[in-house]
Amino acid sequence: MFRPKTAFSGFSVNDLAKAKAFYAQALGLHVVEEGGGLRLHLPGGGTAFAYPKDNHQPATFTMLDFVVDDIDAAVDELKSRSVSFERYEGMVQDEKGIMRGISQKMGPDIAWFKDPAGNILAVLQAE
């Protein structure tokens, strides 16, 4: 019978040092070097593992979401840490780069950004 003890997500990066700095300093996560990669300790107790890959291709989808109580405050804080927010054609985003999904009946308010390896991350405000 399949009974895993735990689970975690993994993704590649092209520069482990830049990834460590970004996830630890810009995002404020606890990051531990482990087994040739980085163990990212996520809010709520989960983890993700970032590993180096020479022919890394950035994720073309949102691969990690950070849920916050106040998206405006979160976006402002991340911008103060030099995080740039993405703009996507066809998405109605405000001056901060936030898609106000709740007001458009399209899901939560969300803003996307990339890690140094080009992987897509998001911050979102759940109701």
Side-chain angles (χ1 to χ4, degrees), residues 3-109:
R3 291 190 182 182
K5 296 187 307 185
T6 190
F8 64 92
S9 176
F11 59 92
S12 70
V13 296
N14 56 356
D15 186 320
L16 220 49
K18 285 182 181 177
K20 183 178 182 182
F22 178 79
Y23 285 98
Q25 295 167 12
L27 300 187
L29 300 179
H30 178 64
V31 178
V32 177
E33 292 183 34
E34 175 184 298
L38 304 172
R39 174 76 53 197
L40 311 177
H41 293 268
L42 304 172
T47 65
F49 187 75
Y51 57 91
K53 187 174 178 188
D54 290 337
N55 61 348
H56 165 75
Q57 294 293 314
T60 58
F61 52 88
T62 307
M63 56 124 218
L64 190 57
D65 295 287
F66 294 91
V67 180
V68 297
D69 290 327
D70 182 341
I71 193 167
D72 289 282
V75 166
D76 291 344
E77 175 68 21
L78 289 171
K79 283 185 176 185
S80 78
R81 297 178 186 188
S82 300
V83 174
S84 298
F85 286 82
E86 299 296 306
R87 296 203 170 269
Y88 294 108
E89 193 172 323
M91 299 282 194
V92 179
Q93 294 169 267
D94 67 15
E95 67 282 348
K96 291 184 178 186
I98 301 170
M99 184 183 83
R100 305 287 176 174
I102 292 172
S103 64
Q104 299 174 39
K105 299 183 184 347
M106 295 179 63
D109 291 353

